[in-house]
Amino acid sequence: MNYRSILIACLATLGLAVAGWGQADGKIAFISDREGYEDVWIMNADGSDPVNLTQGRHCTTPAWSPDGTKIAYIYLDDYPRGRYGGEIWLMDADGGNPQQLTDDSVDKTSLSWSADGRSIYYVVRWTAEMTKESEAGERDGPDAFVMALDGSSPSPVDWREVPHFRYSSRSPDGTKEAIIVLRTKGDEENLARLQITNIGEHEPSVIPLPGLPRNATVSDATWITKPTWSPDSMRMAFTSLTRPGLIWAVDLDGGNLVELTNGLGGRNPDWQPVVPSLTATSVESQSWGQIKSLLSR
């Protein structure tokens, strides 16, 4: 075996490892109207290779299944009446095999999956009647339901039991929660901030995001957006408040702040879950096979 063979083997191993790391980043699903409809799109974690999955449908709230193979979303069949209503649909990660799960004309506002991937939770929009009941002290939250993946047997649940239905977003490793404060009322600096809290603690770490353009914030109210985490819990994506909305990604220390949607607009990002151990096993196997092939020549 000569040094050239060793070098080729090392380069092949490095290339396959890098490819594996790229897979571990997963995809980001999001909503964009760049082609005239508020379709569900996916893109790579660096914003490259955006693909329209729904091709001419007004949608909202894409949500990846825990295994990263399917996306649930709400199809707004009565758009532009509002960004609520519509029915829940399910499709494969490439947009194939679309299936309608509900047919009840109830205004739905958000979706999330059970941890085992067997059920989908949804929350119903807060109505004027709900507001009256809340003011009378008879209601403490919106109506929420859970159903099977075929849309059958929807059952009411306490809204506090709905996964991910809170202002903050918990990291996949379960150690942190985060919010993005795009604007605090009365804040003359008009500066967005990332707030990260370790689970079990009360005081968050507040990290300024000076790289976010000033027009990504608002001036007359407090605005908070919930980020979506990368599968390795090291990075987050979130929506700014520009017109159109733009999707940004940032490291936990506030570094590497990047606009992912290339100025074309996007909102409701959801990062694809990935099982790193499976990816690592695949890369290891491919690398060793390549090495053996090269060294046998």
Side-chain angles (χ1 to χ4, degrees):
M1 181 178 67
N2 58 35
Y3 288 109
R4 179 178 177 275
S5 297
I6 296 175
L7 177 60
I8 291 173
C10 291
L11 290 174
T13 304
L14 178 60
L16 287 165
V18 169
W21 295 333
Q23 294 167 9
D25 286 340
K27 302 275 188 179
I28 296 176
F30 63 103
I31 300 294
S32 179
D33 63 357
R34 64 187 66 182
E35 292 185 351
Y37 291 84
E38 300 211 353
D39 283 300
V40 178
W41 292 66
I42 58 171
M43 61 183 170
N44 293 330
D46 61 0
S48 63
D49 194 24
V51 178
N52 186 342
L53 299 185
T54 51
Q55 295 291 328
R57 313 189 87 191
H58 290 296
C59 310
T60 190
T61 317
W64 287 97
S65 62
D67 64 3
T69 63
K70 294 185 178 295
I71 301 173
Y73 64 95
I74 298 174
Y75 167 44
L76 304 176
D77 52 1
D78 195 20
Y79 190 91
R81 181 175 65 89
R83 288 185 173 179
Y84 302 112
E87 305 299 345
I88 298 173
W89 285 68
L90 183 66
M91 62 183 171
D92 295 339
D94 61 0
N97 194 29
Q99 305 170 57
Q100 182 174 345
L101 303 186
T102 63
D103 186 16
D104 54 20
S105 301
V106 173
D107 286 353
K108 306 168 188 69
T109 64
S110 64
L111 300 176
S112 56
W113 290 71
S114 62
D116 60 10
R118 296 180 179 178
S119 305
I120 294 177
Y121 292 81
Y122 61 95
V123 175
V124 174
R125 181 169 68 95
W126 194 278
T127 64
E129 186 61 34
M130 291 178 180
T131 301
K132 291 178 182 178
E133 293 177 13
S134 178
E135 291 173 349
E138 300 175 2
R139 178 181 290 274
D140 62 359
D143 290 335
F145 299 85
V146 62
M147 65 180 181
L149 291 191
D150 61 1
S152 65
S153 306
S155 303
V157 295
D158 190 300
W159 65 273
R160 286 167 290 232
E161 298 177 14
V162 177
H164 314 305
F165 189 69
R166 52 176 175 252
Y167 284 115
S168 60
S169 177
R170 181 165 293 190
S171 60
D173 63 12
T175 64
K176 298 176 177 64
E177 288 191 345
I179 60 173
I180 304 287
V181 181
L182 292 173
R183 167 73 188 190
T184 300
K185 188 175 183 179
D187 179 8
E188 297 301 327
E189 291 183 313
N190 196 27
L191 185 64
R193 293 173 174 86
L194 167 62
Q195 295 188 7
I196 300 177
T197 305
N198 292 324
I199 300 300
E201 300 180 1
H202 298 289
E203 292 298 323
S205 299
V206 181
I207 303 166
L209 300 177
L212 204 65
R214 292 175 66 87
N215 66 352
T217 65
V218 293
S219 59
D220 58 353
T222 295
W223 283 87
I224 295 174
T225 185
K226 185 171 67 172
T228 178
W229 291 78
S230 63
D232 62 4
S233 299
M234 298 300 293
R235 195 159 168 76
M236 285 172 280
F238 62 95
T239 307
S240 67
L241 295 176
T242 49
R243 297 289 183 184
L246 300 174
I247 297 175
W248 297 73
V250 66
D251 292 341
L252 297 193
D253 61 1
N256 196 19
L257 180 66
V258 179
E259 198 270 291
L260 301 180
T261 40
N262 197 30
L264 297 175
R267 61 182 176 87
N268 296 141
D270 192 45
W271 213 310
Q272 180 185 26
V274 173
V275 183
S277 60
L278 296 180
T279 302
T281 301
S282 174
V283 171
E284 180 182 352
S285 174
Q286 293 177 48
S287 301
W288 179 236
Q290 182 71 11
I291 290 171
K292 290 193 293 184
S293 173
L294 289 169
L295 295 182
S296 65
R297 295 177 181 175

